[in-house]
Amino acid sequence: MIQFQDLHKAFDGKQVLTGFTLDVKDGETLVIIGYSGSGKSVALKHVVGLLHPDAGDVTVDGRAVSTLDRPSLAALRREIGFVFQFAALFDSLNVADNVRLGLERRGLPADEIAERVREALALVDLTGTDDRYPAELSGGMRKRVGIARAIALRPRYMLYDEPTTGLDPVTSAVMDRLMVRTREHLGVTGVVVTHDMRSAYTVGDRIAMLYEGRVRQVGTVEEIRQTEDPVVRQFIEGRPS
Amino acid sequence: MIAHVGRSAVAGIKAVGRFGQFVSDMVRALSDVATWGRLTPVQMRRVGVDSLPVALFIAAFTGVVLALQASYTFTGTVPLYFVGTLVGKTMMLELGPVLAGLALAGRVGASMAAELGTMRVTEQVDALETLAYDPQSYLVVPRVLAGTAMFPVIVALAILTGILTGWLASLLLLDLSTQEFIKGLKLFYRFKDTWFGLFKSATFGFTITLVGCIVGLGTRGGAEGVGRSTMQAVVYSAVLLLMLDAFWAMVLLR
Ligand SMILES: Nc1ncnc2c1ncn2[C@@H]1O[C@H](COP(=O)(O)OP(=O)(O)O)[C@@H](O)[C@H]1O
Ligand SMILES: [Mg+2]
C-alpha cells in the first residue's frame, strides 16, 4: 500500500504540493489526473525518494520514504518500477543493455538475466530489437522499452508518468493494453499519472484529481464520470473556461 | 545593499555546502568498486582520445616558440645552450600542464557537463537511481578517476613533444648542436621539475572533471540549461585551474 500523507513541496518558494493525501490500495490501479504543471510528476517522484518532501511523507507498506537510509531506500526501489514520461532510456546503451542494467545491479546469474530480458521485451512486443539504440526508436517504442526495463525487475508496484502523452491514438491504445497486461501478468499495484482521460478510464480502477496542490476528488471511474464537481467536470470534458 | 551582500553571502555558503556534500558523496561512492571499476577504463580512453591530439598540437608549437624566444632574449650575452634549459624548464613546470589543462577544460570538462546535463534533464539520472544505482559511483567516480589518472600521462607526452620540437627548432633554425641543447636541458634539471608538473596535472585533471560533473548534474531547464552548464563548466574549471596553478607555485616552489 502506498500512502501519500499530507505531502508538501515547494520549489524556490513556489508551492506545488500543499497537503496532498491519497491512498493507493494493494492490487488496484489508481490514476492521478491534473493539469500540466500541477505537480503530478513531483508527487510520483516522492514515492521512490527522488525528491524530498518539505513536510508530510509517502509511506510504502508502512516505510516512510524520506526517513530511509541508503540501503533501505535501495531495497525499496527494488520493489518499484518507474516508467518515465519520455522513457529516460540510456542513450549510450542498446535496448537489451537498457533492460539488463537493473538486473545486473541485483547480481542475478547471467542466464537468468538473459531470460528475463527476453521475456520483458516479448511482453512489450519488442522481440528482436535488442541491438537497436534509443535514438533509432520511435517515441512509442522507447516508452515500451521503458516499461520492459521496469517489469524485468518484477516489481510489486509500477509507477507510470504520462505513459500516453505525445503518442498517436493507436499507439496510446497499445500502451493502455500493455499496462493492463502488465498488471495481469505481474499482479502489480499501479499508479498512473496522466491527463489523457481515455487512458484513465481504460486502465484505472479509481481516479484522483490533483488540483492546486491537493486531491480535489477521488473515486471510482464511474463516480468520476458522474461527478458534480465543476472543476473535475471541466477537466474531464476538456472545456476551456 | 546590506541585504544584497547578505543574500550573496548566504548563497555562497550554500554553494560551498553543496560542493562539500558532493565531494563527500563521491568519496563514499568509492566503496562501490563493482560499479565504477568496469566503467573507469571507458572514461580513461575517452579522456585520452578527446584531449591528446589537441594537447600535443599545442605543445608542438609552444616548443618551437620557446626556443626562438629564448635565443632572441639571450642576444649573445647568455650562452646559447641555455635555450635547452629554458625550453625544458618552461615546458615541464608551467606551459605543459597549463596549456594542456586549458585545452582539456574546453574539451573534456565541456563534454562531461553536456553529457551529464543531458542525462539530468532527460531524467536518465533519475532512472539510474530508480534502478538502485548511485549516480556518484556510476557517473562521477569513473570520470573523475579517469581525469586524475590520465591527465599526467597526457601532459607527460605534451612535455616530451614540446622539448622535441624545441630541440628541432634549435637544431634547424638556431645553429645549436644536439650536444649543446642536451647540456642546457640537463643544466639546472632537478627531479622535482618532473614530479611537480605531473602532480600539478593530476590536480588539474581532478578539478576539471569534478567541475564538469558537478555542473552537469546540477543542470536545470532543458536544452538551454545544458548549453548554460557547458559554458559554466569551461569558465569555472579554467578559472580554478589558473588559481590552483598559482597556489601550487606558492606552496611547492618557494
Ligand atoms: N526539480 C525541480 N526544480 C524546480 N521546479 C520543479 C522541479 N520539478 C518540478 N518543478 C516545478 O513543479 C511544478 C510541477 O511540475 P510537475 O510535477 O512536473 O507537473 P506535472 O503535473 O505536469 O507533472 C512545475 O511548475 C515545475 O516547474
Ligand atoms: Mg509531469
Side-chain angles (χ1 to χ4, degrees):
Chain A
M1 177 137 128
I2 298 174
Q3 295 170 295
F4 297 88
Q5 294 173 339
D6 196 27
L7 203 56
H8 287 70
K9 183 70 180 175
F11 291 103
D12 310 319
K14 183 168 149 287
Q15 292 292 330
V16 177
L17 298 178
T18 54
F20 181 70
T21 300
L22 184 65
D23 289 355
V24 185
K25 298 173 196 151
D26 280 337
E28 77 170 340
T29 296
L30 182 88
V31 176
I32 301 175
I33 57 173
Y35 291 96
S36 294
S38 59
K40 304 183 296 296
S41 302
V42 168
L44 213 54
K45 285 182 178 176
H46 279 88
V47 178
V48 284
L50 288 171
L51 290 173
H52 201 85
D54 296 337
D57 211 337
V58 180
T59 62
V60 179
D61 299 327
R63 290 164 291 180
V65 176
S66 73
T67 64
L68 298 177
D69 59 9
R70 288 186 161 268
S72 316
L73 184 60
L76 174 90
R77 285 172 173 169
R78 280 158 204 244
E79 299 171 23
I80 302 174
F82 200 117
V83 179
F84 289 87
Q85 179 167 359
F86 299 101
L89 302 182
F90 304 112
D91 298 323
S92 56
L93 302 179
N94 67 25
V95 167
D97 287 341
N98 262 283
V99 179
R100 193 174 288 131
L101 195 66
L103 295 165
E104 283 173 348
R105 182 68 175 166
R106 309 278 162 98
L108 297 174
D111 52 346
E112 176 162 5
I113 291 180
E115 173 56 25
R116 285 217 203 173
V117 170
R118 202 194 52 71
E119 189 186 275
L121 287 176
L123 199 69
V124 297
D125 301 319
L126 283 176
T127 301
T129 59
D130 293 42
D131 299 330
R132 303 190 42 195
Y133 281 84
E136 305 164 4
L137 305 178
S138 69
M141 286 168 89
R142 275 202 288 271
K143 286 196 174 177
R144 276 146 66 195
V145 178
I147 293 181
R149 182 170 71 184
I151 61 181
L153 300 164
R154 308 220 173 120
R156 288 166 26 78
Y157 300 96
M158 283 288 281
L159 312 179
Y160 299 90
D161 195 356
E162 307 212 7
T164 60
T165 302
L167 301 180
D168 62 75
V170 175
T171 312
S172 295
V174 169
M175 293 300 292
D176 290 343
R177 200 177 61 201
L178 269 181
M179 285 186 275
V180 171
R181 196 194 288 177
T182 300
R183 175 187 182 179
E184 286 164 357
H185 203 81
L186 298 174
V188 292
T189 303
V191 182
V192 180
V193 157
T194 192
H195 49 224
D196 171 355
M197 288 317 298
R198 203 179 70 163
S199 174
Y201 294 145
T202 310
V203 302
D205 298 310
R206 290 193 304 147
I207 297 176
M209 178 162 180
L210 170 57
Y211 185 75
E212 292 181 343
R214 298 155 174 264
V215 172
R216 176 79 188 202
Q217 190 186 356
V218 55
T220 62
V221 169
E222 225 25 62
E223 283 164 0
I224 294 294
R225 276 181 191 274
Q226 316 283 332
T227 184
E228 310 264 307
D229 185 320
V231 170
V232 182
R233 270 243 80 77
Q234 183 185 2
F235 184 85
I236 65 176
E237 289 174 359
R239 275 187 288 111
S241 52
Chain B
M1 173 65 193
I2 289 171
H4 177 76
V5 171
R7 259 198 306 279
S8 305
V10 169
I13 291 164
K14 277 187 181 160
V16 171
R18 273 198 303 274
F19 176 80
Q21 182 65 48
F22 192 95
V23 173
S24 85
D25 284 347
M26 185 176 77
V27 170
R28 182 185 34 70
L30 280 172
S31 63
D32 187 5
V33 185
T35 301
W36 60 257
R38 75 195 157 87
L39 295 166
T40 304
V42 180
Q43 293 302 324
M44 289 173 75
R45 208 170 309 128
R46 185 176 133 185
V47 169
V49 169
D50 273 1
S51 50
L52 198 55
V54 56
L56 296 190
F57 184 83
I58 293 173
F61 284 91
T62 309
V64 174
V65 172
L66 280 176
L68 295 177
Q69 276 183 357
S71 109
Y72 167 80
T73 308
F74 297 162
T75 56
T77 39
V78 179
L80 201 56
Y81 61 79
F82 274 105
V83 168
T85 319
L86 195 121
V87 170
K89 285 264 181 189
T90 316
M91 281 311 296
M92 282 188 259
L93 290 176
E94 179 65 9
L95 288 186
V98 171
L99 289 182
L102 290 173
L104 188 86
R107 296 277 291 153
V108 177
S111 92
M112 283 182 183
E115 184 192 18
L116 298 191
T118 303
M119 289 185 72
R120 168 60 81 197
V121 302
T122 58
E123 298 184 314
Q124 291 177 56
V125 178
D126 287 343
L128 208 51
E129 286 196 62
T130 62
L131 297 178
Y133 280 95
D134 178 359
Q136 286 283 347
S137 51
Y138 193 88
L139 299 173
V140 177
V141 171
R143 284 169 174 75
V144 174
L145 283 183
T148 312
M150 286 301 285
F151 201 41
V153 177
I154 293 159
V155 168
L157 293 171
I159 290 170
L160 287 176
T161 305
I163 293 176
L164 194 75
T165 58
W167 162 69
L168 283 174
S170 311
L171 205 63
L172 302 174
L173 305 172
L174 296 178
D175 293 326
L176 190 67
S177 72
T178 301
Q179 287 82 355
E180 282 198 302
F181 184 85
I182 291 176
K183 179 179 164 193
L185 199 57
K186 284 180 172 171
L187 196 58
F188 293 108
Y189 176 77
R190 285 191 283 170
F191 180 56
K192 188 175 178 181
D193 297 353
T194 312
W195 72 248
F196 175 74
L198 297 185
F199 166 77
K200 201 159 81 165
S201 308
T203 67
F204 292 171
F206 177 83
T207 306
I208 291 163
T209 47
L210 183 65
V211 169
C213 289
I214 293 181
V215 171
L217 289 180
T219 303
R220 283 217 204 137
E224 198 186 317
V226 174
R228 196 166 43 234
S229 286
T230 308
M231 189 267 295
Q232 280 176 348
V234 175
V235 173
Y236 293 166
S237 54
V239 168
L240 281 172
L241 187 148
L242 294 171
M243 284 164 60
L244 205 56
D245 190 44
F247 173 78
W248 288 131
M250 286 188 279
V251 173
L252 293 173
L253 290 189
R254 280 196 306 171

